[in-house]
Amino acid sequence: MHHNALVFVVMLALLPAANLEAHPPTSAAQPASGTISKTDRETAVGILDAISKAIQDLYYDPKMNGVDWKAVQARARTKIAQSNSMNEALTQIAVAVSALNDSHTVFEPPARPYRLDFGFEYQLIWNRCFVMHVRPGSDAEAQELKRGAEILTINGLAPNRQNFHSIEYLTYTLDPKPEMHLEARYRSGEKQDLRIKAKLTMSPDLAYRPGSGVWYDVIRSSENERHRMRTQLVHFGDVGILKFPWFFYNVEHFYELSGKLRKDKALIVDLRGNPGGAVETLEYFIGMLFDHDVKVCDKVQRKKTSPEVAKSEHRIYFPGKVIVLVDSESASAAEIFARVMQLEKRAKVIGDHTSGSVMEATDFYYASSGVDYGAEVTIANLIMTDGKSIEHIGVSPDEVLLPKLVDLESGSDPVMAQAAQELGVTISPEYTGKLFPYEWPKD
């Protein structure tokens, strides 16, 4: 992401050092000898030095959140010297970066030549973790994992608000393994102890060239992702329901959207699962919903503080009533949007407590001698107009409304149904649950 983006981090946010130190990567990633070569150890130290310098140069707070950064570096060097595998050495770099306790400052280790798909999606609801979708044809389906199951442990760790993103970071990025040990429990009280095998897909060669098959694979993958993350709009009388999956749309998109909303008197904006995105998109959307300029926040950088203002877009202004839906996966720009709507008393926010991953970041990458790595680094803290940051805090909905276990099992959506009811539209939770069917990423 460029410096003008509120970087969304799904798998790479909130990485408390204690969690990684208590549960370092083990066995499957280690070589049979249990040793690491001198060359690999030197490579790990080189990565640590490069990442540490970039963070020290770029991080928004010159006091490094009160962290003794030199001591953190020295400790990481010692740990790398004691590591038994490259994964352990890379983990020490991740632990060092996590000492800042910043959702948008995250180490990105050398890319794996593959990606893992365990065939199910899970999510926090309040402080418990549940299976939301199971992919047809997956090993998860073959082992009879079902939607609505509560996940008690993932590879021995009990997921909660404090460690959820750390678990995802370990599982998919830092220490990926082809099998996941899952303990689950159903509404009936039945428990499952599963070892789910991932589908492994080789990633395109990072050194692809235009005209090659890999080049077109990359383009096709990007197009598929854009299709999955498209906005979707349905109407019930004069009420529009907008599924808004991320904040990566240009101003032309909002001009087109405003034409579709012209006859509506109210709008439900569904930001559930929205990981955030670009500042420009955030400002366009806010500008579309106000007839005057709105201060979004103060951007506190290393050397200056400046206001972030959304300019009113009079030609596409939507004056109707607005309800915003959020959940635990609503992050970054999605959280800022929801909080602005609250503070300006422009919309009611309904749903679950949001992620609390709200900073502005830049990213950088190194690629040399066949090793690519990088980091995302926070370059600004964002202070809302009430004088508070929502980093690690999130947005508290005006109306907390969560699906029940029976809703998770059936795929019903009582949150959307309630929002529609408050706007005078009666739709059953069963029907709203089918409005925007989940689409799996294509292979």
Side-chain angles (χ1 to χ4, degrees), residues 18 51 120 180 199 232 248 251 258 353 387 435:
I51 295 293
F120 69 100
M180 179 186 291
K199 179 179 179 180
Q232 298 179 67
F248 284 107
V251 68
S258 71
H353 203 90
L435 281 180

Side-chain angles (χ1 to χ4, degrees), residues 91-110:
T91 295
Q92 301 312 320
I93 301 172
V95 170
V97 175
S98 73
L100 292 169
N101 194 26
D102 185 306
S103 70
H104 281 51
T105 301
V106 186
F107 170 51
E108 295 184 354

Side-chain angles (χ1 to χ4, degrees), residues 212-224:
S212 69
V214 170
W215 169 260
Y216 290 108
D217 287 344
V218 171
I219 292 175
R220 186 159 48 248
S221 176
S222 176
E223 289 174 345
N224 289 338

Side-chain angles (χ1 to χ4, degrees), residues 173-434:
T173 303
L174 195 58
D175 188 28
K177 294 182 173 69
E179 184 178 270
M180 179 186 291
H181 182 202
L182 205 68
E183 292 181 290
R185 179 175 60 201
Y186 291 90
R187 184 163 55 102
S188 64
E190 175 195 355
K191 289 187 177 182
Q192 286 179 310
D193 191 294
L194 305 171
R195 293 190 179 275
I196 298 174
K197 293 180 174 58
K199 179 179 179 180
L200 187 148
T201 303
M202 299 307 294
S203 300
D205 183 353
L206 296 178
Y208 63 81
R209 292 177 175 83
S212 69
V214 170
W215 169 260
Y216 290 108
D217 287 344
V218 171
I219 292 175
R220 186 159 48 248
S221 176
S222 176
E223 289 174 345
N224 289 338
E225 185 66 6
R226 285 200 299 271
H227 176 76
R228 286 184 66 243
M229 304 301 277
R230 69 195 183 280
T231 57
Q232 298 179 67
L233 178 66
V234 296
H235 301 271
F236 291 88
D238 56 7
V239 174
I241 300 178
L242 176 66
K243 182 67 176 174
F244 202 85
W246 63 5
F247 279 77
F248 284 107
Y249 310 106
N250 58 28
V251 68
E252 287 78 14
H253 189 92
F254 289 96
Y255 274 85
E256 180 182 345
L257 180 61
S258 71
K260 297 177 180 178
L261 294 173
R262 201 170 302 280
K263 297 180 181 179
D264 290 330
K265 294 182 180 179
L267 176 66
I268 297 172
V269 179
D270 189 355
L271 297 181
R272 292 174 296 177
N274 186 315
V279 171
E280 289 88 345
T281 302
L282 173 67
E283 293 179 353
Y284 293 149
F285 202 4
I286 292 174
M288 178 180 174
L289 298 176
F290 287 88
D291 61 0
H292 58 277
D293 295 351
V294 174
K295 181 178 177 180
V296 177
C297 60
D298 281 317
K299 185 163 68 173
V300 181
Q301 298 173 278
R302 177 174 284 209
K303 295 183 179 179
K304 66 176 182 178
T305 297
S306 56
E308 199 80 58
V309 178
K311 300 289 186 180
S312 177
E313 298 286 345
H314 296 287
R315 287 176 291 179
I316 58 174
Y317 171 55
F318 176 79
K321 188 172 182 179
V322 180
I323 290 179
V324 177
L325 306 185
V326 295
D327 64 7
S328 67
E329 304 251 313
S330 303
S332 200
E335 296 181 88
I336 292 177
F337 179 90
R339 187 60 180 145
V340 169
M341 295 298 110
Q342 277 187 330
L343 291 171
E344 298 294 325
K345 303 188 186 307
R346 179 65 178 92
K348 182 177 185 179
V349 177
I350 299 177
D352 199 352
H353 203 90
T354 66
S355 172
S357 305
V358 186
M359 303 293 265
E360 185 168 339
T362 189
D363 60 3
F364 66 91
Y365 295 96
Y366 295 97
S368 61
S369 303
V371 178
D372 65 289
Y373 61 93
E376 289 175 341
V377 182
T378 291
I379 58 171
N381 190 11
L382 306 176
I383 306 300
M384 307 305 294
T385 55
D386 62 353
K388 300 176 182 178
S389 167
I390 51 179
E391 169 78 353
H392 299 319
I393 297 172
V395 177
S396 296
D398 300 305
E399 181 180 347
V400 175
L401 188 58
L402 310 174
K404 299 177 181 177
L405 292 180
V406 65
D407 299 316
L408 297 178
E409 292 172 351
S410 66
S412 297
D413 188 352
V415 181
M416 180 73 77
Q418 175 63 26
Q421 185 68 48
E422 294 186 17
L423 295 175
V425 176
T426 300
I427 321 173
S428 72
E430 294 76 21
Y431 189 86
T432 53
K434 299 175 182 177

Side-chain angles (χ1 to χ4, degrees), residues 16-87:
N19 290 331
L20 281 180
E21 292 183 85
H23 307 283
T26 55
S27 61
Q30 297 178 5
S33 64
T35 60
I36 177 174
S37 71
K38 180 181 178 181
T39 299
D40 282 350
R41 204 182 301 277
E42 290 174 350
T43 296
V45 171
I47 293 174
L48 170 67
D49 290 345
I51 295 293
S52 297
K53 184 179 187 306
I55 291 175
Q56 194 161 5
D57 290 345
L58 297 173
Y59 196 63
Y60 85 98
D61 181 4
K63 296 181 179 179
M64 307 298 284
N65 275 351
V67 173
D68 185 340
W69 194 242
K70 289 185 178 179
V72 168
Q73 287 179 271
R75 184 167 182 270
R77 279 176 167 268
T78 300
K79 291 289 187 178
I80 289 172
Q82 298 169 350
S83 295
N84 293 316
S85 73
M86 191 59 168
N87 263 20

